[in-house]
Amino acid sequence: MIEIKRYTQENRPEWDEFVKRCKNATFLHLRNYMDYHSDRFKDFSLMAFNERGKLIAVLPANFVDHTMYSHQGLTYGGWLTLAKHFSVNTMMDLFESMADFLRKNEFTKLVYKTVPHIFHQYPAEEDMYALFRYDAKLVTVNISSVVDLTQPNLFSQSTKQRLKEAQKSNITVAETQDFKAFWKILDENLERKYGAKPVHTIEEIELLHSRFPKQIRLFGAFQNNQMIAGTVIFEIADTAHTQYISTKVEAEDNGALRLLFNELITKVYKNKRYFDFGTSNEDNGHYLNRNLIETKAGYGARGVAYNIFELNL
C-alpha cells in the first residue's frame, strides 16, 4: 500500500517542506545542505507515499555500485517521518515496500544510519524495530559524549579546578564569523595529528554558514585579540552539536577550550536539552580515544550511540 519513488530536483520544494515537519529530521536533511556536495555522491534519495498519494516519509540516500547508503555525506539520517499517523506498523509496511523497490532497482545491500534520539523532536525509533525484524546487522557504533543540560552541573572536580586556573588568564570567549582563522588552526591540527583534512573545506563551511547562519555558529577563545581555540556548533532542535573543535598547539594547556566549553554549556546553550561533544572513535567504532572520552566526561558528558546497520536485500 506504500509507493516508493526516487527523489528528483522537481521534488525539492515538497521534500524541504516535509523535512521541516518531521519528528526526527534536522537542517542537515534540507536540500540546501545536502546538495552542497552533490558532485561527490550519486543521489538516490527516496520518497514514500501512502495509498492516497500523500507523502509520509523521506530517506536521504546515495548509491555506490549495487549498495544504497543512508547518505554518506551525512552523519545520520534514516527514514524521516511525521509524529502524526505514523506507527511501527507503518514502518514495517514501509520497509517491505523499500526492500522490494531496491531489489527491482538491482540493489543487493542497504547501509542504514539511524538518527540518534538526541536529535528527535518526538520518539522516532520505529526503524530500529524494523531493522531488527529484517535481520539487519549492526556494523558500526560510534560513541558520542553528550551533556544533559536539564540536569545539575556534573563537572568533575579536576575540570572545575582547571577552570579556576584558566579564569585567571586573559583569555576571552566570543562568537565570531572568522571561519578562515579557525580553519587555519583546524587544518594545522588535523594535518599534524592525523595527516587529514576537515570534512568541509573553508569554502564549503562558509557557504553552508551563509545558508544556515542561525544553525551553524563559530565560537572562539581569544588571547591578545588572536583566536587560539574554537568550535563550530551545529544547532539542531534541542541539541547543540560540536561539529569541529580545535586549538593552537601552544594553547593546548592554557585552558582556552575549558573556558570556551564552560561558556557554551553554562550560558549560551543552558536552555537547550543536550550539548553533544561528538564522537571519539575511529575504524567504525573499533578504536576508542580513551583520553578524549575522559576529557569530555569531565564536563558531565555521557554516551550516546550513533548506529549504522547493513541489510542484505
Side-chain angles (χ1 to χ4, degrees), residues 147-151 214-215 217 233-241 264-265 267-275:
V147 180
D148 185 341
L149 298 172
T150 67
Q151 300 300 315
K214 294 181 179 179
Q215 290 87 7
R217 303 171 67 183
I233 299 290
F234 280 17
E235 291 191 19
I236 301 166
D238 288 332
T239 298
H241 167 77
L264 296 178
I265 291 170
K267 295 180 182 178
V268 178
Y269 292 116
K270 65 179 182 180
N271 293 323
K272 291 280 189 184
R273 175 66 195 272
Y274 298 113
F275 188 88

Side-chain angles (χ1 to χ4, degrees), residues 205-222:
I205 199 67
E206 288 184 328
L207 172 66
L208 291 171
H209 172 66
S210 71
R211 292 178 177 178
F212 301 97
K214 294 181 179 179
Q215 290 87 7
I216 300 176
R217 303 171 67 183
L218 171 62
F219 295 88
F222 299 85

Side-chain angles (χ1 to χ4, degrees), residues 171-182:
I171 297 171
T172 59
V173 172
E175 185 169 7
T176 176
Q177 307 296 315
D178 195 353
F179 283 86
K180 284 186 173 64
F182 176 68

Side-chain angles (χ1 to χ4, degrees), residues 24-26 29 59-60 69-71 74-80 91 95 110-120 124-132 136-142 304-310:
N24 59 337
T26 74
H29 301 123
L59 175 65
Y69 294 85
S70 273
H71 205 290
L74 302 174
T75 309
Y76 48 82
W79 280 108
L80 309 176
M91 184 62 80
F95 259 68
L110 168 66
V111 179
Y112 187 99
K113 302 174 184 176
T114 58
V115 180
H117 74 270
I118 58 173
F119 303 120
H120 296 177
E125 295 185 353
E126 295 86 1
D127 56 351
M128 294 281 285
Y129 179 73
L131 288 162
F132 162 72
K137 180 182 179 182
L138 180 62
V139 294
T140 299
V141 178
N142 291 312
V304 170
Y306 285 42
N307 296 323
I308 303 177
F309 295 83
E310 282 188 4

Side-chain angles (χ1 to χ4, degrees), residues 128-175:
M128 294 281 285
Y129 179 73
L131 288 162
F132 162 72
R133 287 287 301 274
Y134 273 81
D135 294 322
K137 180 182 179 182
L138 180 62
V139 294
T140 299
V141 178
N142 291 312
I143 192 72
S144 192
S145 298
V146 179
V147 180
D148 185 341
L149 298 172
T150 67
Q151 300 300 315
N153 186 315
L154 293 179
F155 285 15
S156 67
Q157 283 303 117
S158 62
T159 298
K160 290 178 180 178
Q161 182 59 40
R162 289 169 182 168
L163 268 172
K164 287 181 180 179
E165 295 169 2
Q167 286 164 350
K168 299 174 184 177
S169 69
N170 63 340
I171 297 171
T172 59
V173 172
E175 185 169 7

Side-chain angles (χ1 to χ4, degrees), residues 223-245:
Q223 193 168 45
N224 300 322
N225 295 319
Q226 296 294 316
M227 188 186 300
I228 58 174
T231 181
V232 175
I233 299 290
F234 280 17
E235 291 191 19
I236 301 166
D238 288 332
T239 298
H241 167 77
T242 59
Q243 185 70 15
Y244 293 104
I245 304 169

